[in-house]
Amino acid sequence: VANKANMPSPTSSRNDNIPSADSQCKDDAIRTSLRICCYGSSSKSTQKRYLAAAYSLGYELGIRGHSCVNGGGASGCMGSMNQGCLDSNGSVIGVIHKMFVFEERGSNWLEGCHEVFQQNERRSDKRGNKAKLIITDGVGLQERKRMLVEGADAIVVLPGGTGTFDELWEMACAKQIGIVSMPIVCVNIDGYYDAFFQILQRAKEDNFLYKDPGEILHFEKSSEEAIDYIEKELVKQKSGLEAEGDGEKEPTAKIKKRGPSFMSQLYTRMSSSLSSVSDEESYSQPSTFSYLVTFASGAFVYSLISRRES
């Protein structure tokens, strides 16, 4: 169960630049409820400055009417984030692997989860069913990671350890190769994520990246600024999509449609060549071998072209 003593209280957090409910929708940038996936530490040793930022994130998402999706934990940034959602009566979804929870007989919640996910009908009714817990299974954490980002409009990354790094880099990779286009924002408290930007910058200088570092990850100094950026960026993306194709909507991840001509011709040519060889003839014949080499070379060149285009 979350230890509230280690979390900033609503009063003290407001002094850390958390706006009051009166500031909800202060800017007309976006009024649609968003689903924001949030990564962050689960450690009980998380420093107070990071806990304050996590609480601010959960609270701010709640008063702006956005849904916060996180790992559902009771401690660290996850615990403070969930407490912020609880205090602002916001919508929160926890996705946790069953190895991290223990259902104690007679208890109102799953041990290991924040109390916002209490299995108590009275609390659920009071909150208007705004808290939901998803328990995943499997040998590893792949299913949990998939469920965290499923349907997400954006990702916010708070300070954390290797688990947070794993989640962040996996989605940075997906952004770099064009699988997703959603904003990914690191809350860079006291330069915590400076090294990540430097790694991306070095990779770009050494020609390992297809995009500029800023197109893959964005960095803000506070949770509020991270949400501001996401809201404005999604409005920009939406306006851009509406400007194309007479306002027809496109999938979040743009997948370029390529004609089958190049690969299809190579495959057809190779297939006809192989079918023309009789059962007695060996596949090591020069003509057949040359087609195989042509096909392999063409596939390699095509893969390079595809990467460039993406």
Side-chain angles (χ1 to χ4, degrees):
V1 181
N3 183 358
K4 291 185 181 179
N6 292 331
M7 296 181 186
S9 67
T11 304
S12 63
S13 295
R14 287 179 190 274
N15 294 331
D16 290 329
N17 298 321
I18 295 182
S20 65
D22 295 336
S23 67
Q24 185 173 0
C25 294
K26 62 183 178 183
D27 141 351
D28 291 331
I30 193 164
R31 292 183 181 274
T32 307
S33 177
L34 300 174
R35 184 182 177 102
I36 310 295
C37 173
C38 304
Y39 299 145
S41 73
S42 61
S43 171
K44 293 180 180 179
S45 303
T46 302
Q47 297 178 20
K48 288 184 178 179
R49 54 183 169 168
Y50 302 141
L51 295 178
Y55 181 92
S56 173
L57 178 62
Y59 192 90
E60 184 70 18
L61 288 173
I63 65 172
R64 295 198 195 193
H66 303 318
S67 295
C68 174
V69 186
N70 64 75
S75 305
C77 285
M78 279 194 285
S80 290
M81 188 192 313
N82 286 322
Q83 189 63 42
C85 291
L86 176 62
D87 291 345
S88 63
N89 196 34
S91 173
V92 57
I93 300 164
V95 183
I96 193 166
H97 194 283
K98 71 175 186 179
M99 73 173 81
F100 299 131
V101 295
F102 175 72
E103 191 168 9
E104 185 179 352
R105 185 173 296 178
S107 175
N108 285 331
W109 60 86
L110 291 171
E111 204 62 42
C113 294
H114 189 272
E115 63 176 319
V116 71
F117 304 110
Q118 283 189 23
Q119 295 179 334
N120 184 308
E121 291 182 3
R122 287 178 298 177
R123 171 173 284 277
S124 178
D125 291 340
K126 183 179 178 181
R127 285 183 49 76
N129 294 315
K130 289 187 176 181
K132 180 181 179 181
L133 183 66
I134 300 172
I135 301 177
T136 63
D137 203 345
V139 177
L141 297 174
Q142 292 304 316
E143 179 65 10
R144 183 194 189 196
K145 290 192 287 184
R146 184 186 70 80
M147 293 295 292
L148 277 167
V149 297
E150 190 173 74
D153 295 295
I155 295 172
V156 176
V157 189
L158 291 160
T162 53
T164 304
F165 299 162
D166 172 46
E167 293 165 335
L168 169 57
W169 282 124
E170 181 170 318
M171 294 312 297
C173 174
K175 183 84 176 278
Q176 137 95 345
I177 61 178
I179 294 176
V180 300
S181 60
M182 70 177 80
I184 304 175
V185 188
C186 295
V187 183
N188 194 26
I189 303 162
D190 292 339
Y192 186 80
Y193 282 113
D194 282 354
F196 280 60
F197 178 79
Q198 291 166 5
I199 290 171
L200 287 172
Q201 190 63 44
R202 175 62 186 271
K204 180 64 177 178
E205 290 170 1
D206 290 351
N207 300 318
F208 290 122
L209 299 183
Y210 310 131
K211 298 181 179 180
D212 290 329
E215 295 180 82
I216 300 171
L217 297 180
H218 183 79
F219 300 83
E220 292 288 355
K221 292 181 180 179
S222 71
S223 298
E224 183 180 7
E225 289 172 319
I227 301 172
D228 287 342
Y229 171 79
I230 286 169
E231 290 179 340
K232 291 173 184 175
E233 189 64 19
L234 289 176
V235 166
K236 237 191 278 184
Q237 288 185 12
K238 183 179 178 183
S239 301
L241 289 176
E242 288 177 348
E244 298 175 6
D246 296 324
E248 292 181 4
K249 293 184 179 179
E250 295 183 5
T252 301
K254 296 182 181 178
I255 300 175
K256 297 180 181 178
K257 294 182 180 179
R258 301 181 178 91
S261 56
F262 180 73
M263 292 299 289
S264 178
Q265 287 176 20
L266 281 173
Y267 182 76
T268 303
R269 189 178 181 190
M270 180 185 135
S271 298
S272 7
S273 171
L274 291 177
S275 62
S276 66
V277 179
S278 64
D279 294 337
E280 291 79 14
E281 291 179 299
S282 167
Y283 283 100
S284 63
Q285 283 188 351
S287 59
T288 304
F289 179 76
S290 66
Y291 284 131
L292 288 171
V293 171
T294 302
F295 179 78
S297 302
F300 175 72
V301 171
Y302 180 74
S303 69
L304 292 179
I305 295 171
S306 301
R307 287 185 179 181
R308 282 288 181 187
E309 291 179 353
S310 63

